[in-house]
């Protein structure tokens, strides 16, 4: 069965097969849980990353009982960025990647354009029209890979999965909507092109809210490799 057929195939309960970075991390947590997944501001294993994703997913679900809501990620901490991302996907919502170093006015303008009413952040004091979701600041990490899953029904493969902002040619942030299939297609292409695998360690010097950094991080973790990131992803240097 081809990958296209597999990701379009529905299971007996009617849900789509789960092929995204969140489910990949869950799988690798059971197979190589003690191995590093990400190294940056600090190190985190696959088991630990999966544990934090579960906690954040439950935090989001407790606040937003209805799914498919756009949630912006505003942080320069690379570990938290990935953890927030996994929590949003696992909770059945839509992630929004935006430069957290923009002014509050610029961020408000961008989020209002796409009707994004929620955000997650590790910083206080932002004056945003969107509502900040309350997440555990220092979630207790459970290393067991047999944690109960808080995954909602998955977003369909052709439905909106995330929004990535690009400066485009105007200098103004332009929102690009991506569905699960378009992201997965690009990820598989990079895995094949770069020969990413479980033994791969990939240094990604670009901020994860940029398409390049995001897709390379996504591809590496999807393949079960290790992502190495700069301590501060607010700069490309």
């Amino acid at each position: 069965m081809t990958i296209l057929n597999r990701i379009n195939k529905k299971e007996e309960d009617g849900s789509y097969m789960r092929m995204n970075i969140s489910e990949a991390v869950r799988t690798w947590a059971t197979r190589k849980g003690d191995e590093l997944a990400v190294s940056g501001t600090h190190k985190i294993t696959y088991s630990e990353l999966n544990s934090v994703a579960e906690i954040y997913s439950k935090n989001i679900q407790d606040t937003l009982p209805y799914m498919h809501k756009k949630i912006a990620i505003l942080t320069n901490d690379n570990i938290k960025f990935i953890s927030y991302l996994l929590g949003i996907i696992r909770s059945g919502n839509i992630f929004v990647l935006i430069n957290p170093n923009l002014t509050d006015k610029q961020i408000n303008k961008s989020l209002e354009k796409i009707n994004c009413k929620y955000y997650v952040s590790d910083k206080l004091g932002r004056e945003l029209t969107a509502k900040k979701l309350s997440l555990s600041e220092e979630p207790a990490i459970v290393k067991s890979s047999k944690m109960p899953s808080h995954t909602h029904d998955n977003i369909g493969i052709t439905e909106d999965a995330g929004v990535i902002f690009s400066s485009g040619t105007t200098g103004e942030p332009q929102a690009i909507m991506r569905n699960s299939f378009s992201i997965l297609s690009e990820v598989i292409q990079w895995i094949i092109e770069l020969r990413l695998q479980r033994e791969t360690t990939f240094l990604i010097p670009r901020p994860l809210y940029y398409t390049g950094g995001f897709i390379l991080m996504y591809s590496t973790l999807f393949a079960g490799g290790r992502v190495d990131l700069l301590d501060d992803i607010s700069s490309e240097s």
Side-chain angles (χ1 to χ4, degrees):
M1 182 181 293
T2 66
I3 289 178
L4 178 59
N5 288 335
R6 284 178 61 82
I7 60 181
N8 279 310
K9 177 180 179 295
K10 288 190 175 182
E11 299 170 343
E12 292 181 1
D13 63 358
S15 63
Y16 284 94
M17 293 186 67
R18 295 168 178 161
M19 295 184 69
N20 56 47
I21 188 175
S22 171
E23 294 306 316
V25 167
R26 193 198 304 276
T27 297
W28 293 124
T30 64
R31 298 184 182 181
K32 48 180 289 182
D34 293 333
E35 296 184 28
L36 284 180
V38 185
S39 177
T41 48
H42 55 278
K43 296 178 174 61
I44 189 167
T45 66
Y46 270 99
S47 181
E48 293 168 340
L49 186 58
N50 184 61
S51 171
V52 174
E54 285 291 316
I55 294 168
Y56 285 159
S57 173
K58 187 175 186 305
N59 288 166
I60 294 170
Q61 290 173 31
D62 287 344
T63 306
L64 299 176
Y66 301 102
M67 302 180 298
H68 294 207
K69 302 295 184 183
K70 297 185 183 75
I71 304 174
I73 300 174
L74 297 173
T75 179
N76 280 317
D77 183 311
N78 44 45
I79 299 291
K80 286 188 176 179
F81 181 99
I82 297 173
S83 300
Y84 291 160
L85 173 72
L86 296 176
I88 292 169
I89 294 173
R90 196 167 292 191
S91 67
N93 289 289
I94 301 168
F95 60 82
V96 176
L97 310 186
I98 190 169
N99 184 348
N101 304 301
L102 296 174
T103 66
D104 289 351
K105 182 178 180 180
Q106 290 173 313
I107 292 176
N108 281 333
K109 183 178 180 181
S110 297
L111 297 186
E112 287 168 4
K113 280 185 176 180
I114 62 169
N115 194 30
C116 177
K117 299 179 180 179
Y118 305 95
Y119 74 97
V120 291
S121 177
D122 55 349
K123 291 185 178 181
L124 301 174
R126 305 212 73 147
E127 296 182 0
L128 302 180
T129 55
K131 177 183 178 181
K132 181 178 180 180
L133 298 181
S134 178
L135 301 183
S136 302
E137 290 300 323
E138 296 295 336
I141 294 175
V142 180
K143 293 191 176 182
S144 171
S145 59
K146 298 181 179 180
M147 298 180 60
S149 169
H150 295 101
T151 304
H152 273 245
D153 292 337
N154 283 293
I155 289 178
I157 200 68
T158 58
E159 294 180 283
D160 296 337
V163 181
I164 301 176
F165 277 92
S166 170
S167 61
T169 58
T170 64
E172 289 289 326
Q174 303 294 317
I176 302 172
M177 185 69 73
R178 301 289 299 270
N179 63 31
S180 298
F181 181 68
S182 72
I183 294 173
L184 185 59
S185 297
E186 189 170 354
V187 164
I188 292 173
Q189 176 184 341
W190 280 111
I191 289 175
I192 296 172
E193 181 76 18
L194 300 176
R195 300 182 182 180
L196 302 178
Q197 54 187 310
R198 288 180 56 173
E199 293 76 22
T200 300
T201 298
F202 206 124
L203 173 63
I204 302 175
R206 289 179 62 78
L208 298 183
Y209 49 80
Y210 286 166
T211 305
F214 171 74
I215 290 295
L216 291 177
M217 174 274 295
Y218 196 121
S219 301
T220 304
L221 293 182
F222 193 89
R226 183 180 115 190
V227 172
D228 278 4
L229 296 163
L230 300 179
D231 288 342
D232 182 1
I233 60 171
S234 63
S235 170
E236 293 184 58
S237 62

